[in-house]
Amino acid sequence: MTKQAETFDYSQPGGRLSLRQAFLIAVVLGLLFPALLISFLSFNLQRDKMETQLAVDQNRLLEIVALGMQEPLWNLSRQAGAPLVSSVMDDERIISVRVSDTQSNTIFLSALRSERRIGGVAFVQKPVVYRGEEIGQVNIEFDTEHLGIAQKNQLKDLLLIVVAQLLLSIVLIMSILNSRFLTPIRQLSEQATQLAALKLEQPFLWGRQDEIGTVGKHLEWMRAELKRLIDELKTKTLALEADIERRREVEDALRRSENKYRELFWSNLDGIVISSLEGQVLDANPAFLSLIGYSLDQLKLQNFWQVVSDNSETVERYNLDNKVMRFGFCDEFEVEYINRLGSAIPVSVKTVAMRDADGRITAVWRMVRDISERRAAEERMQLAAKVFENTAEGIMITDAQVCIRSVNRAFTEITGFSQDEVLGQLPTVLSSGRHNKEFYDTLWAVLNEQGQWQGEVWNRRKNGEVYPEWLAINAVRSPAGEVTHYVAIFSDQSERKAADERIQFLAHFDVLTGLPNRGHLQDRALLAIQNASHDNGKLGVLLLDLDRFKTINESLGHAAGDILLKIASERIRRVLGAGEVVARQGGDEFLVLLPLINDAADAVHVAERILAEFAAPIDVYSHSLAITASIGISLFPDDGRDFDTLVRNADAAMYHAKSSGRNNYKFYTADLNARAREILAIESQLRHAVDRREFVLHYQPQVEMCSGNIIGAEALIRWNHPTLGLLGPVHFIDVAEERGHIVQIGNWVIREACRQIAEWHAKGLPLMTVGVNLSALQFRHQDLVGLLRDALAEYRLPGSCLDVEVTESVIMDDMESTVQTIHAIQAMGIRMSIDDFGTGYSSLAYLKRFKADKLKIDRSFVRDIPGDQDDSAITRAIINMSKNLNMQVVAEGVETVEQWQFLAQEGCHQVQGYLLSRPLSAEAVEPLLRQRCLLPQLE
């Protein structure tokens, strides 16, 4: 031992660092890293502060210039903005300032420093917003060179401070370490080297009272004790050699006994594991190791309870404490162990106690058997039972003699028979009687030959209901090939059958009304045309369209529209005779087929009965609706010899009926076809007319009768059609309403009228009132109030510049909603006029409630005054009524001096008409507006 220790030189550390070098490195690193970290953080804080200050200065100067440029930019006064730009350029950090005008996309003001520095550059910009409108853009270019210079100087100062602090700290620390620590440590190292070399004769002397002195004294104690122990070891070596010889003989005897035990332990097919009462694994045979997946060494490092699953640990501990510790064994029980992969293994366990020589239990012997396959078989059986019971198809199992042995729950749900009612019975208990003997003979022949059969069968439920089912039968054979059971699986096909019938219905009938659809009617019409052709007979096709259905549908909602369509279909069906068929073509259009008529009078008779049926109002959601219809009639063979031609021509006749005032019928003629093509062309081009800016407004002045002053004008739309020229509203308004384009057109009229008023005002004309007509759809559109408000705000106009004109029918429909809309419009200062007064459903009650500003007498009353006494009386009554209600009255369509004189005599306030001026374009009417007075030549 001494010789071996002498081969090492503990005083030479070899290639490693000395203690002094290690201390020096630790001191340098210990001081350098915190100093650098603090300096780095301080530098970053200062740099962030300087950059933040620069950003604040940039935003402040940018905000000053943007605010200061509002007035100069708005007034386009460069002199007013130049001083502000010059004062900003006094800041040496600014390289250039540029103010641009976004209206003209030009530079309004700019300034550039003559000497541009070489360094970083920052650009900032901000829009100039005046009265809510962006009128310009301010761009400022900053020089950031001074920021980089300041940061470099600061970094140099911080590095000099760090170096000075580091040098001073190293000198002070190393002087203290050398005197108080390094020299005593060197002495301890020399004494430890002597102790390792077993040079124990010379004592170690220490007089220091600090920790190093204490270590030296302990080292001296170790030297003395080690010397004493070596002396005792020499004495006991001889006695130990004698004991070793005796122990070798005992071990040989034990080894022979253990060999027999190990042979039985290792060859057992069941797993065996031996553990202490605390769970320390002592031994395990190969079968257990294979089951768990650990080697014996790995298992001994584990605690036994670690291989027992959490769910089974309670059972294991209970059996150990209450059976093994009391009786010495425990009968078989089932638990789960965890293998090396973390998987649970179901096992059965028998436990036996192991005792020492005094009879005390010291360990536990567990015999473990894997029951995974048995458990899996049980689970498969349970799963099969669940599948059998819970499958959606009915299952019936019979024996070889076709007696029912088992049925599932779905069988009971489908047939109504419980399991107790059918067990032991033959399947004939379900027979419906619809299949003959030949059917069943064929079924059994196929089943016996192929082992299976499937097909559709009609069976009977317990309640007597016959239902269709899809049945599959399979024969189950034994290993010897003999049939032991039959398994029948079936599903109820009632819902599928009903769905097929529903599909057939939907293919030929309309879902909403229950009427035949166009395809079904076409089949009926083809047969009727063949019969009429063979017999030289006639037939008629009526195409009926509900008038203004879109208005009702959009104002009251689609649910109300559906109710209306159902009621309409019932009314049409009521008036038809035997053989006459009505079908819904789509939307609000219906087709009526008259398969056998003598002449056109028969078709007229049916059309008149339909119109008469629609005379009664229809109640929908507390609204009493007066619905009319327009009917087009085409006859076979005069107007067409096939179904499509007859329907197309009836459609053309229907449009002719609509253009003739609605609520009537028209026969097809050749010129109707041309008119239908014209309407189709107009409709296809109308949808893009607003986007292409093809609409224009003409204006007809409204004149105050007592003074001749022009107090306003009515905006009248015209369509500048690319091929047909300038079209009046009579050519396209009805089509626009029918096809749903009227709201888009009406919204354009409002915006265009506001734009034109603002343009006239900018040219020096006083603000004037322009009347715009609103359709029913537009008046009930939810965005109308917002559109009016936005249009006035866009052109900075007061509400009094607009006069909204609506008809009586618009006001009378949906009173509550109308009141809210009118109040919202009048709250903005917009005037309200009732157009075409007297032609609709007039009521003094609604005039009192709505408080309109004006009543406009329809031109149909003005046309024949003063010659027609009735029209004169109606006109006189309207004027007197408006005076009593404090409302202005305007007469439309004034064309003669006699009309003017009559209206003046009766006290009419305002007039408009050809006597004063035709509707003119904005450019043509402008001179009239400038002269501000317009009187007719009365002589």
Side-chain angles (χ1 to χ4, degrees), residues 653-672:
M654 182 270 294
Y655 273 104
H656 181 43
K658 281 189 176 292
S659 63
S660 300
R662 298 183 174 89
N663 194 27
N664 60 8
Y665 59 87
K666 294 291 181 181
F667 280 92
Y668 172 76
T669 58
D671 60 333
L672 287 182

mmCIF file of all heavy atoms in Angstrom, residues 653-672:
data_model
loop_
_atom_site.group_PDB
_atom_site.id
_atom_site.type_symbol
_atom_site.label_atom_id
_atom_site.label_comp_id
_atom_site.label_asym_id
_atom_site.label_seq_id
_atom_site.Cartn_x
_atom_site.Cartn_y
_atom_site.Cartn_z
ATOM 1 N N ALA A 653 -98.533 38.008 -73.121
ATOM 2 C CA ALA A 653 -99.859 38.593 -72.922
ATOM 3 C C ALA A 653 -100.030 39.081 -71.489
ATOM 4 O O ALA A 653 -100.682 40.112 -71.238
ATOM 5 C CB ALA A 653 -100.933 37.554 -73.262
ATOM 6 N N MET A 654 -99.443 38.351 -70.527
ATOM 7 C CA MET A 654 -99.536 38.769 -69.126
ATOM 8 C C MET A 654 -98.856 40.114 -68.910
ATOM 9 O O MET A 654 -99.358 40.989 -68.194
ATOM 10 C CB MET A 654 -98.918 37.690 -68.223
ATOM 11 C CG MET A 654 -98.987 37.989 -66.729
ATOM 12 S SD MET A 654 -97.541 38.907 -66.140
ATOM 13 C CE MET A 654 -96.258 37.685 -66.381
ATOM 14 N N TYR A 655 -97.687 40.319 -69.530
ATOM 15 C CA TYR A 655 -97.002 41.606 -69.390
ATOM 16 C C TYR A 655 -97.817 42.731 -70.040
ATOM 17 O O TYR A 655 -97.814 43.873 -69.569
ATOM 18 C CB TYR A 655 -95.608 41.532 -70.003
ATOM 19 C CG TYR A 655 -94.577 41.035 -69.035
ATOM 20 C CD1 TYR A 655 -94.086 39.735 -69.114
ATOM 21 C CD2 TYR A 655 -94.102 41.864 -68.017
ATOM 22 C CE1 TYR A 655 -93.157 39.263 -68.215
ATOM 23 C CE2 TYR A 655 -93.173 41.401 -67.111
ATOM 24 C CZ TYR A 655 -92.681 40.104 -67.209
ATOM 25 O OH TYR A 655 -91.761 39.655 -66.320
ATOM 26 N N HIS A 656 -98.510 42.396 -71.100
ATOM 27 C CA HIS A 656 -99.389 43.378 -71.723
ATOM 28 C C HIS A 656 -100.521 43.759 -70.765
ATOM 29 O O HIS A 656 -100.912 44.931 -70.655
ATOM 30 C CB HIS A 656 -99.956 42.814 -73.024
ATOM 31 C CG HIS A 656 -100.859 43.774 -73.745
ATOM 32 N ND1 HIS A 656 -100.571 45.118 -73.890
ATOM 33 C CD2 HIS A 656 -102.073 43.563 -74.353
ATOM 34 C CE1 HIS A 656 -101.556 45.703 -74.565
ATOM 35 N NE2 HIS A 656 -102.481 44.785 -74.848
ATOM 36 N N ALA A 657 -101.033 42.775 -70.027
ATOM 37 C CA ALA A 657 -102.079 43.043 -69.045
ATOM 38 C C ALA A 657 -101.557 43.930 -67.921
ATOM 39 O O ALA A 657 -102.249 44.835 -67.439
ATOM 40 C CB ALA A 657 -102.625 41.728 -68.489
ATOM 41 N N LYS A 658 -100.323 43.705 -67.511
ATOM 42 C CA LYS A 658 -99.740 44.532 -66.449
ATOM 43 C C LYS A 658 -99.552 45.967 -66.929
ATOM 44 O O LYS A 658 -99.833 46.935 -66.209
ATOM 45 C CB LYS A 658 -98.401 43.941 -65.998
ATOM 46 C CG LYS A 658 -98.520 42.761 -65.059
ATOM 47 C CD LYS A 658 -97.170 42.383 -64.485
ATOM 48 C CE LYS A 658 -97.321 41.262 -63.461
ATOM 49 N NZ LYS A 658 -98.030 41.714 -62.255
ATOM 50 N N SER A 659 -99.031 46.119 -68.155
ATOM 51 C CA SER A 659 -98.796 47.472 -68.662
ATOM 52 C C SER A 659 -100.102 48.211 -68.942
ATOM 53 O O SER A 659 -100.115 49.441 -69.078
ATOM 54 C CB SER A 659 -97.947 47.408 -69.938
ATOM 55 O OG SER A 659 -98.637 46.713 -70.965
ATOM 56 N N SER A 660 -101.214 47.473 -68.997
ATOM 57 C CA SER A 660 -102.516 48.090 -69.247
ATOM 58 C C SER A 660 -103.243 48.418 -67.949
ATOM 59 O O SER A 660 -104.451 48.669 -67.969
ATOM 60 C CB SER A 660 -103.376 47.156 -70.106
ATOM 61 O OG SER A 660 -102.752 46.905 -71.341
ATOM 62 N N GLY A 661 -102.558 48.382 -66.838
ATOM 63 C CA GLY A 661 -103.172 48.785 -65.583
ATOM 64 C C GLY A 661 -103.350 47.675 -64.575
ATOM 65 O O GLY A 661 -103.861 47.914 -63.480
ATOM 66 N N ARG A 662 -102.957 46.448 -64.881
ATOM 67 C CA ARG A 662 -103.071 45.302 -63.973
ATOM 68 C C ARG A 662 -104.535 44.962 -63.680
ATOM 69 O O ARG A 662 -105.453 45.628 -64.113
ATOM 70 C CB ARG A 662 -102.302 45.548 -62.667
ATOM 71 C CG ARG A 662 -100.797 45.747 -62.843
ATOM 72 C CD ARG A 662 -100.113 45.898 -61.477
ATOM 73 N NE ARG A 662 -98.659 45.950 -61.624
ATOM 74 C CZ ARG A 662 -97.971 47.059 -61.817
ATOM 75 N NH1 ARG A 662 -98.624 48.211 -61.901
ATOM 76 N NH2 ARG A 662 -96.665 47.037 -61.944
ATOM 77 N N ASN A 663 -104.721 43.866 -62.947
ATOM 78 C CA ASN A 663 -106.042 43.376 -62.536
ATOM 79 C C ASN A 663 -106.951 43.165 -63.744
ATOM 80 O O ASN A 663 -108.136 43.494 -63.718
ATOM 81 C CB ASN A 663 -106.700 44.337 -61.534
ATOM 82 C CG ASN A 663 -107.901 43.695 -60.853
ATOM 83 O OD1 ASN A 663 -107.972 42.479 -60.725
ATOM 84 N ND2 ASN A 663 -108.844 44.520 -60.428
ATOM 85 N N ASN A 664 -106.368 42.618 -64.819
ATOM 86 C CA ASN A 664 -107.175 42.299 -65.993
ATOM 87 C C ASN A 664 -106.494 41.164 -66.747
ATOM 88 O O ASN A 664 -105.512 40.597 -66.281
ATOM 89 C CB ASN A 664 -107.372 43.519 -66.897
ATOM 90 C CG ASN A 664 -106.047 44.070 -67.400
ATOM 91 O OD1 ASN A 664 -105.001 43.463 -67.203
ATOM 92 N ND2 ASN A 664 -106.083 45.213 -68.042
ATOM 93 N N TYR A 665 -107.043 40.822 -67.903
ATOM 94 C CA TYR A 665 -106.481 39.744 -68.707
ATOM 95 C C TYR A 665 -106.332 40.245 -70.139
ATOM 96 O O TYR A 665 -107.030 41.154 -70.588
ATOM 97 C CB TYR A 665 -107.371 38.499 -68.665
ATOM 98 C CG TYR A 665 -108.783 38.745 -69.160
ATOM 99 C CD1 TYR A 665 -109.095 38.633 -70.523
ATOM 100 C CD2 TYR A 665 -109.787 39.078 -68.270
ATOM 101 C CE1 TYR A 665 -110.379 38.870 -70.974
ATOM 102 C CE2 TYR A 665 -111.078 39.306 -68.721
ATOM 103 C CZ TYR A 665 -111.379 39.207 -70.079
ATOM 104 O OH TYR A 665 -112.647 39.442 -70.530
ATOM 105 N N LYS A 666 -105.380 39.639 -70.848
ATOM 106 C CA LYS A 666 -105.150 39.981 -72.242
ATOM 107 C C LYS A 666 -104.850 38.711 -73.019
ATOM 108 O O LYS A 666 -104.194 37.793 -72.506
ATOM 109 C CB LYS A 666 -103.977 40.967 -72.384
ATOM 110 C CG LYS A 666 -104.218 42.353 -71.784
ATOM 111 C CD LYS A 666 -105.255 43.136 -72.581
ATOM 112 C CE LYS A 666 -105.474 44.519 -71.990
ATOM 113 N NZ LYS A 666 -106.481 45.282 -72.738
ATOM 114 N N PHE A 667 -105.297 38.689 -74.283
ATOM 115 C CA PHE A 667 -104.950 37.594 -75.176
ATOM 116 C C PHE A 667 -103.640 37.912 -75.876
ATOM 117 O O PHE A 667 -103.248 39.076 -76.014
ATOM 118 C CB PHE A 667 -106.060 37.381 -76.215
ATOM 119 C CG PHE A 667 -107.211 36.601 -75.691
ATOM 120 C CD1 PHE A 667 -108.304 37.251 -75.120
ATOM 121 C CD2 PHE A 667 -107.208 35.218 -75.751
ATOM 122 C CE1 PHE A 667 -109.372 36.535 -74.637
ATOM 123 C CE2 PHE A 667 -108.280 34.495 -75.266
ATOM 124 C CZ PHE A 667 -109.358 35.154 -74.702
ATOM 125 N N TYR A 668 -102.981 36.856 -76.321
ATOM 126 C CA TYR A 668 -101.732 37.031 -77.039
ATOM 127 C C TYR A 668 -102.002 37.516 -78.459
ATOM 128 O O TYR A 668 -102.889 37.020 -79.141
ATOM 129 C CB TYR A 668 -100.953 35.717 -77.097
ATOM 130 C CG TYR A 668 -99.740 35.782 -77.994
ATOM 131 C CD1 TYR A 668 -98.594 36.439 -77.569
ATOM 132 C CD2 TYR A 668 -99.771 35.226 -79.274
ATOM 133 C CE1 TYR A 668 -97.494 36.517 -78.387
ATOM 134 C CE2 TYR A 668 -98.672 35.311 -80.104
ATOM 135 C CZ TYR A 668 -97.526 35.960 -79.649
ATOM 136 O OH TYR A 668 -96.431 36.062 -80.466
ATOM 137 N N THR A 669 -101.225 38.508 -78.898
ATOM 138 C CA THR A 669 -101.212 38.947 -80.297
ATOM 139 C C THR A 669 -99.768 39.050 -80.732
ATOM 140 O O THR A 669 -98.851 39.039 -79.913
ATOM 141 C CB THR A 669 -101.902 40.316 -80.456
ATOM 142 O OG1 THR A 669 -101.247 41.268 -79.624
ATOM 143 C CG2 THR A 669 -103.377 40.229 -80.091
ATOM 144 N N ALA A 670 -99.538 39.245 -82.025
ATOM 145 C CA ALA A 670 -98.166 39.237 -82.543
ATOM 146 C C ALA A 670 -97.334 40.375 -81.968
ATOM 147 O O ALA A 670 -96.150 40.221 -81.675
ATOM 148 C CB ALA A 670 -98.188 39.311 -84.075
ATOM 149 N N ASP A 671 -98.003 41.573 -81.823
ATOM 150 C CA ASP A 671 -97.213 42.693 -81.327
ATOM 151 C C ASP A 671 -96.839 42.525 -79.862
ATOM 152 O O ASP A 671 -95.905 43.148 -79.367
ATOM 153 C CB ASP A 671 -97.979 44.003 -81.517
ATOM 154 C CG ASP A 671 -99.308 43.995 -80.773
ATOM 155 O OD1 ASP A 671 -99.849 42.892 -80.575
ATOM 156 O OD2 ASP A 671 -99.782 45.086 -80.402
ATOM 157 N N LEU A 672 -97.587 41.675 -79.148
ATOM 158 C CA LEU A 672 -97.207 41.412 -77.758
ATOM 159 C C LEU A 672 -95.858 40.729 -77.680
ATOM 160 O O LEU A 672 -95.078 40.945 -76.742
ATOM 161 C CB LEU A 672 -98.264 40.533 -77.080
ATOM 162 C CG LEU A 672 -99.597 41.187 -76.739
ATOM 163 C CD1 LEU A 672 -100.494 40.175 -76.039
ATOM 164 C CD2 LEU A 672 -99.368 42.395 -75.844
#
